[in-house]
Amino acid sequence: MMLIPCPWCGDRIDAEFTCGGEAHIVRPDPATASDAEWADYLFMRENPKGLHHERWFHAHGCRRWFHMTRDTVSHRIVAVYAITESAPEATG
Amino acid sequence: MKYSLWNLLRQAPRGHRDWPQAWRNPEPKESYDVIIIGAGGHGLATAYYLAKEHGITRTAVLEKGWLGGGNTGRNTTIVRSNYLWDESAHLYEHSLKLFETLSQDLNFNVMFSPRGVINLAHNEHDLKELRRRGHACRLNGIDYEMVTPREIKEIAPIINVSRSIRYPVLGGAMQRRAGNARHDAVAWGLARRADEYGVDIIQNCEVTGIDIRDGRVTGVQTTRGPIRADRIGAVPAGHASVIASMAGLRLPVESHTLQAMVTEPVKPVLDTVIMSNTVHVYISQSDKGELVLGAGIDGYNSYGQKGGINVIEHQLEGLCELYPIVSRLKIMRVWGGIVDIAPDASPIISKTPVEGFYINCGWGTGGFKATPGSGWVFAHTIAQDRPHRLNEAFNLGRFESGLLIDEHGAAAVAH
């Protein structure tokens, strides 16, 4: 169980949220990307044991997307930041 | 020592004090022909078939915890082969056939019990999907039959086949040769036989680095010192990405918690396995009498072997509607394992861009059924430096070529 600090609604139970997976994946230009680059974009993931930047969606609340940095072992939430922002460096 | 009635009788008057250790606890040597990373069922099976089928016995199986302590000891023990696509059907059927003779082969009772597996349909789409998969299975020579609600009720009287529940049972599909096996026994039996061949199973030995020179593996760094080998097979399940990153590789998998649970033990009430993708719960009864329950993964990346109570609640709601008799039972234990989910719900059993480094991962929620088959094809891949025809489609390159093996229908809930 996690208590997730939604930037709009405050602390809510994790069952209200949907996880959108790894954040900050940059889409290559499909006109010029090689098959390998496209496969990397579509399928390959960092899947780290430790801090993970990810996208979350408050499905049963404000229905807005945001970013979160979370430890994948302890589930400790380290940072919450806007969907338009890039990853905070100190938590990388 | 062979496990037999004769030896059992011989040991009885001595109070069973003279049974030898089932496997050694050796110190790591400086070098091996092959290193297997991970002493779960798949890793031990790889070492066993490397010795048995390919004569390679200078093998070390490195395990950061204790053998069989990960997903091998945490799964819900279901074995079946009713998959949709030819590639999967052949691979899982090969594994099911190995299961059928595994106890004799290992001289260790893995308690394989072909008690049948039923998949339920709760809507028209489910029925069509099951029929389609059934036709595919029969074309591949795999037993699979449609069953009506009345037949399901006869097989499993505790099920509620009333038309008035929210997701009524409209029918189902049954694979009678499927069933379950004792998960720990599979690990122990494989470990014992591999050890007899001379394989070193080294527990409490975590791999911390992979040595690569000129694009070839030369060995591993571990918490018990460096070990050399020019062939390394990684079978790290939930930690696949962690191990692969040591070799500079990225994998198309995400690690998630998969939870399972058992109720308090009761008298025998269910002698088959019943799964439902739509209501999202499956059930079987262990020999101890516990009802063994499970469903899907928790929705976010985790290496924590723990999950959310809402995932448990969700499946228990479905369970109580489908099997009202269980509603007063207490849940005795809930636990989590870390499973490596691949985008097409199919495994990766493959060579990699690093020479001599082989990866076997992506089994996701349903690896137990494939334990012997996975080890069998992975041993071939390592020994011959090329995949067997049973696993050549399950390569890492499929994510680039687009030749995915989409088994979400057969794998999503049904383990």
Side-chain angles (χ1 to χ4, degrees):
Chain A
M1 287 321 268
M2 292 184 287
L3 198 61
I4 295 179
C6 169
W8 313 101
C9 310
D11 289 346
R12 296 295 182 93
I13 181 175
D14 62 357
E16 293 186 8
F17 297 82
T18 309
C19 182
E22 184 179 324
H24 310 306
I25 299 173
V26 180
R27 185 174 190 262
D29 180 355
T32 55
S34 66
D35 285 353
E37 285 167 337
W38 196 245
D40 193 81
Y41 160 68
L42 279 181
F43 299 120
M44 302 300 163
R45 295 293 178 261
E46 288 295 318
N47 194 25
K49 184 177 187 179
L51 291 185
H52 190 218
H53 304 300
E54 49 200 18
R55 299 171 304 170
W56 283 80
F57 176 56
H58 196 180
H60 303 288
C62 60
R63 297 194 63 77
R64 294 218 219 184
W65 285 92
F66 61 94
H67 279 133
M68 193 157 96
T69 304
R70 189 179 57 93
D71 187 307
T72 57
V73 181
S74 66
H75 296 180
R76 189 170 59 97
I77 295 163
V78 176
V80 171
Y81 52 104
I83 197 71
T84 50
E85 286 180 48
S86 47
E89 277 189 17
T91 60
Chain B
M1 188 188 295
K2 193 172 156 59
Y3 291 163
S4 63
L5 181 60
W6 166 243
N7 278 327
L8 190 66
L9 294 174
R10 237 168 44 133
Q11 293 294 331
R14 302 174 203 172
H16 296 286
R17 278 188 297 268
D18 296 338
W19 288 103
Q21 216 176 0
W23 53 80
R24 295 163 298 132
N25 203 9
E27 286 298 313
K29 298 189 184 98
E30 264 179 36
S31 76
Y32 291 92
D33 290 341
V34 177
I35 287 175
I36 303 294
I37 303 174
H42 290 226
L44 293 166
T46 306
Y48 167 60
Y49 288 114
L50 272 172
K52 183 179 180 232
E53 305 285 341
H54 306 280
I56 297 173
T57 55
R58 273 178 39 84
T59 303
V61 186
L62 308 183
E63 168 56 50
K64 71 171 175 165
W66 65 97
L67 75 86
N71 295 344
T72 302
R74 291 164 194 263
N75 67 82
T76 48
T77 77
I78 297 163
V79 179
R80 62 186 175 86
S81 64
N82 51 357
Y83 276 71
L84 175 64
W85 300 107
D86 294 351
E87 295 85 353
S88 329
H90 294 157
L91 179 62
Y92 289 106
E93 177 64 11
H94 180 64
S95 192
L96 176 58
K97 289 211 169 101
L98 289 172
F99 255 114
E100 285 169 347
T101 54
L102 198 60
S103 293
Q104 292 80 357
D105 193 23
L106 296 178
N107 176 230
F108 199 101
N109 188 2
V110 303
M111 300 167 78
F112 176 59
S113 165
R115 57 184 64 189
V117 170
I118 296 175
N119 286 89
L120 299 178
H122 301 277
N123 53 48
E124 272 303 308
H125 174 80
D126 282 357
L127 278 173
K128 282 180 183 159
E129 196 273 330
L130 289 182
R131 276 195 205 108
R132 178 194 180 202
R133 188 136 59 90
H135 295 319
C137 279
R138 280 195 299 273
L139 286 170
N140 278 317
I142 294 169
D143 73 305
Y144 190 103
E145 61 195 271
M146 297 300 291
V147 281
T148 65
R150 180 177 294 182
E151 287 165 331
I152 294 169
K153 182 79 182 166
E154 267 172 37
I155 296 166
I158 65 168
I159 196 168
N160 179 6
V161 292
S162 156
R163 298 292 292 219
S164 64
I165 63 175
R166 175 63 184 87
Y167 296 104
V169 175
L170 299 185
M174 186 167 192
Q175 185 180 17
R176 290 187 192 271
R177 287 166 54 243
N180 38 29
R182 172 104 166 87
H183 50 8
D184 295 325
V186 172
W188 298 335
L190 286 166
R192 176 170 162 265
R193 288 291 285 147
D195 181 86
E196 278 174 11
Y197 277 113
V199 170
D200 281 356
I201 301 164
I202 302 161
Q203 303 176 75
N204 298 312
C205 179
E206 181 172 358
V207 172
T208 54
I210 292 173
D211 302 328
I212 298 169
R213 193 177 303 149
D214 303 327
R216 269 209 69 90
V217 289
T218 57
V220 294
Q221 300 292 323
T222 78
T223 49
R224 293 173 71 172
I227 308 173
R228 289 199 313 275
D230 55 12
R231 278 178 289 180
I232 297 172
V235 206
H239 281 69
S241 298
V242 176
I243 295 292
S245 72
M246 293 175 191
L249 300 172
R250 271 156 68 82
L251 292 177
V253 297
E254 278 194 346
S255 299
H256 285 253
T257 299
L258 176 66
Q259 300 185 84
M261 73 206 86
V262 291
T263 67
E264 58 190 313
V266 290
K267 296 276 184 192
V269 288
L270 183 69
D271 62 358
T272 186
V273 183
I274 307 182
M275 310 178 139
S276 166
N277 279 20
T278 298
V279 174
H280 220 143
V281 67
Y282 60 87
I283 180 171
S284 63
Q285 190 170 19
S286 74
D287 293 325
K288 281 188 283 185
E290 305 154 332
L291 297 177
V292 185
L293 313 167
I297 55 172
D298 279 54
Y300 46 85
N301 286 35
S302 177
Y303 286 85
Q305 293 186 325
K306 60 192 169 189
I309 192 74
N310 54 309
V311 177
I312 303 292
E313 277 178 337
H314 181 67
Q315 54 193 284
L316 292 182
E317 284 161 9
L319 185 84
C320 289
E321 186 168 71
L322 271 177
Y323 312 95
I325 192 177
V326 309
S327 66
R328 302 282 179 92
L329 287 182
K330 293 181 184 70
I331 296 294
M332 237 180 20
R333 295 188 300 280
V334 179
W335 63 93
I338 301 305
V339 296
D340 42 337
I341 302 288
D344 55 357
S346 285
I348 298 156
I349 318 162
S350 179
K351 295 179 67 169
T352 70
V354 179
E355 283 284 313
F357 184 70
Y358 310 87
I359 187 89
N360 185 348
C361 68
W363 290 96
T365 58
F368 176 72
K369 66 173 84 69
T371 302
S374 161
W376 197 91
V377 295
F378 199 43
H380 182 283
T381 307
I382 293 169
Q384 314 274 334
D385 193 35
R386 61 185 163 81
H388 189 267
R389 68 177 168 74
L390 283 172
N391 70 311
E392 62 186 352
F394 295 91
N395 58 56
L396 205 44
R398 75 179 188 265
F399 299 95
E400 217 173 294
S401 67
L403 291 170
L404 303 182
I405 306 159
D406 181 1
E407 287 289 1
H408 284 101
V413 173
H415 304 304

